[in-house]
Amino acid sequence: MKKHNFNAGPCILPQVALENTAKAVLDLDGIGLSLITISHRSKEFQAIIDETEALWMELLNIPAGYKVLFLGGGASTQFCMVPYNLMKTKAAYVETGVWAKKAAKEAKLFGKVEVIASSVDKNFTYYPKVTNIPTDADYLHITTNNTIYGTELREDLNSPIPLVADMSSDIMSRPVDVSKYALIYGGAQKNVGPAGVTFVIVKEDILGKVDRPIPSMLDYRTHVDKGSMYNTPPCFAIYTMREVLKWVKAQGGVKAMEKLAIERAKVIYDEIDRNKMFVGTVEPASRSRMNICFVMAEKYKDKEEAFLEFAKSQGMVGIKGHRDVGGFRASAYNALPMESAKALVACMQEFEKKNA
Ligand SMILES: *Cc1c(COP(=O)(O)O)cnc(C)c1O
């Protein structure tokens, strides 16, 4: 049976990227060696990482003065690297869910954290207005897409202080004005590759302003200076990332990704709003295009397990909601075909016919 992959991360990737990676694992471009057995200092791997960086620069129209880094440690390591490198005394954080809270928790190790906006009052079901950004804070940290709660901020804020964004789960799903950010980071495993590589887009002139000693591996300047090759980079994951970005480019770039994301999300949200058995958990204005959260309507609460079973029998994968939200979550990342969105809708309609 055809599977429809709604996993939240790691998640669906373009088929062509998987096929090309599989080939390269056996024989990289006909050189008679596997991608994962060659030196990261070889000219073959250097060409791969250079092209990956060039694709980032091109697809997101990254201006001069910024570097793209490929690191290990996941987005979670960035939660501490950001304050380590940028916080002198105080930073402002926007609290929009689990990941945002984890980021703020690490920052507290280095100074004062001021939570300037939060949606905790309604269990993170909306994106709070970000106003009154304190000009005496060293930076403002936001999470643009809240993977667990399904809220998203799609505008690039005007911040009077350096703006730092965790874009783990919506990177490359829309054009971003990178010039408005000091630093953008994320784990690759939601829209741009497999787990194992973390991307960081950093404006070089924000670095080197704190007095504390920073261990080499946690100092962005180390990785800027060494072109992400201070130590062995995650070669395999970077290769797949390159293939994913080549695919994004071939589809028409981030503008095309955005158009698809809008259409795909609309198909699913329209059905949630129409179907009397389901309700969306997020305020419409804040609804994420990437992670679509919904629950069973009150009257049908006892049908949750039955729907999960039915959806599974129809090939749906990964639609069980995160334990903090319950219900269902359909993640609709870049590589998810419209056909899968429509299959989920068909499944919801059939379930309604049989049960409501
Ligand atoms: C998944 C996720 C993370 C954590 O990423 P890791 O690479 O597992 O550390 C952080 N932030 C957001 C928004 C995420 O979706």
Side-chain angles (χ1 to χ4, degrees):
M1 191 208 322
K2 181 164 171 50
K3 298 277 171 128
H4 298 283
N5 186 347
F6 294 95
N7 279 323
C11 58
I12 191 163
L13 291 173
Q15 188 61 26
V16 62
L18 302 183
E19 283 163 10
N20 290 346
T21 304
K23 280 186 214 144
V25 166
L26 295 175
D27 183 3
L28 176 66
D29 300 332
I31 66 168
L33 290 167
S34 165
L35 157 68
I36 53 176
T37 64
I38 60 166
S39 168
H40 58 294
R41 312 244 175 240
S42 63
K43 69 175 189 326
E44 287 85 2
F45 187 73
Q46 189 64 53
I48 291 164
I49 199 168
D50 288 347
E51 189 183 349
T52 311
E53 183 180 5
L55 282 162
W56 275 92
M57 301 302 278
E58 180 185 344
L59 288 167
L60 287 183
N61 201 12
I62 299 175
Y66 287 78
K67 274 276 189 306
V68 186
L69 309 177
F70 306 111
L71 310 178
S76 300
T77 299
Q78 296 308 307
F79 297 164
C80 81
M81 266 177 91
V82 164
Y84 224 139
N85 286 265
L86 304 182
M87 192 195 241
K88 285 177 226 153
T89 53
K90 180 172 114 169
Y93 276 71
V94 176
E95 186 185 60
T96 48
V98 171
W99 299 117
K101 284 203 302 195
K102 285 187 171 167
K105 176 180 173 228
E106 298 306 301
K108 283 178 195 153
L109 297 170
F110 302 95
K112 189 167 179 300
V113 168
E114 195 177 325
V115 174
I116 62 158
S118 173
S119 48
V120 68
D121 58 335
K122 291 187 182 162
N123 196 30
F124 303 118
T125 52
Y126 69 103
Y127 209 103
K129 278 259 162 297
V130 183
T131 48
N132 298 324
I133 300 168
T135 51
D136 62 339
D138 298 315
Y139 63 87
L140 167 64
H141 181 281
I142 59 172
T143 311
T144 51
N145 184 67
N146 297 285
T147 324
I148 292 174
Y149 294 93
T151 65
E152 189 175 13
L153 174 74
R154 278 183 292 267
E155 56 173 308
D156 301 312
L157 294 177
N158 291 311
S159 171
I161 55 176
L163 179 60
V164 175
D166 176 354
M167 292 198 187
S168 292
S169 52
D170 64 348
I171 190 78
M172 294 284 172
S173 71
R174 68 169 175 95
V176 168
D177 183 353
V178 175
S179 71
K180 290 190 170 172
Y181 298 83
L183 193 148
I184 296 170
Y185 68 86
Q189 69 273 19
K190 280 130 190 174
N191 242 348
V192 287
V197 59
T198 308
F199 62 85
V200 177
I201 304 168
V202 58
K203 192 175 186 195
E204 285 178 78
D205 70 11
I206 61 157
L207 300 176
K209 297 192 174 155
V210 296
D211 292 330
R212 72 175 63 84
I214 307 173
S216 308
M217 272 299 283
L218 297 181
D219 190 335
Y220 290 119
R221 289 171 302 179
T222 305
H223 303 290
V224 168
D225 292 347
K226 300 289 182 192
S228 302
M229 294 264 211
Y230 174 70
N231 70 324
T232 318
C235 303
F236 173 90
I238 290 170
Y239 185 92
T240 310
M241 178 190 267
R242 184 191 73 170
E243 295 305 310
V244 172
L245 297 184
K246 277 161 68 179
W247 175 86
V248 171
K249 185 176 167 182
Q251 302 303 302
V254 288
K255 260 271 167 229
M257 292 296 108
E258 180 179 46
K259 184 166 175 281
L260 274 174
I262 292 170
E263 291 167 3
R264 211 171 29 218
K266 181 171 168 20
V267 163
I268 302 174
Y269 281 122
D270 280 355
E271 177 60 18
I272 293 170
D273 292 342
R274 186 210 60 80
N275 193 312
K276 55 178 164 311
M277 296 192 76
F278 301 97
V279 281
T281 55
V282 169
E283 288 186 5
S286 300
R287 285 175 164 182
S288 168
R289 292 174 189 150
M290 298 285 110
N291 308 99
I292 299 171
C293 295
F294 55 109
V295 293
M296 225 77 222
E298 207 47 54
K299 189 172 161 201
Y300 302 104
K301 275 277 181 259
D302 61 328
K303 296 274 192 255
E304 185 171 315
E305 276 308 314
F307 179 66
L308 283 172
E309 273 307 306
F310 176 67
K312 194 172 158 200
S313 76
Q314 304 297 301
M316 306 302 134
V317 175
I319 63 159
K320 191 173 167 57
H322 187 277
R323 61 192 177 280
D324 290 350
V325 180
F328 318 103
R329 172 175 54 174
S331 295
Y333 294 118
N334 281 351
L336 187 82
M338 182 56 108
E339 183 201 342
S340 291
K342 289 185 176 158
L344 176 61
V345 166
C347 198
M348 292 164 75
Q349 291 177 346
E350 203 174 325
F351 193 74
E352 183 189 35
K353 273 201 204 102
K354 286 183 183 149
N355 294 281

